[in-house]
DNA sequence: ATTCTGACA
DNA sequence: TGTCAGAA
């Protein structure tokens, strides 16, 4: 299943088609890149090229944002995912268990909403 | 015609 | 985030 990963990783979409696929504006797509949460490739002429994975990521970012997460929080999530990938190169699929994601998201949502007065042990687990 | 960067009435 | 300018 390495062939599939390769295809999902190949940058074949222009920002124009990504806009249609994600319903995001070019401004937003470029901004997210600025914030380091998506890293499209560039052509020799400096045009951004996105892969299927990038599109999925953009769609995912849209969800996180609507769930109340801010850019820094989202960046941290992908950074942690990258750290685990580096730690377990073999396990290509489940880098983060559903529980890991829930725990992280719940914490981030509280951070983003400035509701940090609660005891961390209250929603631990 | 499309995309890029930088800037802000 | 929108939008406009000037360049590629």
């Amino acid at each position: 299943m390495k062939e599939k990963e390769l295809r999902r990783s190949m940058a074949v979409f222009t920002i124009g088609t990504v806009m249609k696929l994600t319903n995001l504006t070019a401004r937003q797509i470029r901004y997210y890149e600025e914030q380091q949460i998506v890293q499209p490739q560039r052509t020799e002429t400096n045009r951004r090229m996105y892969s299927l994975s990038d599109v999925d990521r953009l769609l995912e970012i849209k969800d996180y944002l609507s769930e109340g997460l801010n850019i820094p929080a989202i960046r941290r999530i992908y950074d942690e995912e990258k750290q685990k990938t580096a730690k377990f190169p073999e396990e290509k699929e489940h880098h983060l268990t559903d529980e890991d994601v829930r725990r992280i998201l719940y914490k981030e949502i509280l951070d983003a909403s400035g509701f940090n007065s609660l005891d961390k042990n209250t929603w631990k687990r």
Side-chain angles (χ1 to χ4, degrees):
Chain A
M1 203 256 256
K2 196 168 297 178
E3 185 70 41
K4 191 176 179 183
E5 281 301 324
L6 183 65
R7 305 206 193 213
R8 293 187 71 67
S9 299
M10 45 183 174
V12 295
F13 306 115
T14 63
I15 196 169
T17 89
V18 174
M19 287 173 70
K20 296 171 182 173
L21 260 29
T22 64
N23 264 68
L24 288 170
T25 66
R27 178 77 166 81
Q28 296 174 301
I29 298 173
R30 294 179 185 128
Y31 178 67
Y32 300 152
E33 177 184 3
E34 227 175 67
Q35 300 309 304
Q36 313 276 294
I37 53 184
V38 281
Q39 43 239 325
Q41 292 186 197
R42 293 295 182 117
T43 65
E44 262 88 335
T45 60
N46 199 44
R47 258 82 175 107
R48 271 169 266 250
M49 291 301 275
Y50 302 80
S51 68
L52 222 41
S53 295
D54 292 326
V55 175
D56 284 342
R57 188 163 200 128
L58 257 2
L59 256 16
E60 201 170 49
I61 291 170
K62 244 174 62 168
D63 292 339
Y64 285 151
L65 253 24
S66 65
E67 285 176 53
L69 298 201
N70 53 38
I71 275 62
I74 297 174
R75 190 198 305 95
R76 289 172 48 189
I77 291 178
Y78 291 132
D79 283 347
E80 307 215 7
E81 197 171 324
K82 188 171 186 179
Q83 289 173 45
K84 293 207 172 187
T85 300
K87 185 66 179 177
F88 309 109
E90 328 78 33
E91 303 163 25
K92 279 272 185 161
E93 251 20 39
H94 318 148
H95 298 157
L96 290 176
T97 68
D98 290 336
E99 264 309 294
D100 287 333
V101 176
R102 293 186 200 188
R103 176 169 44 62
I104 295 174
L105 292 193
Y106 201 55
K107 182 185 190 315
E108 302 302 358
I109 289 176
L110 292 185
D111 288 351
S113 55
F115 235 122
N116 302 17
S117 58
L118 292 178
D119 177 6
K120 286 192 173 186
N121 297 306
T122 299
W123 35 270
K124 188 174 184 179
R125 234 256 92 200

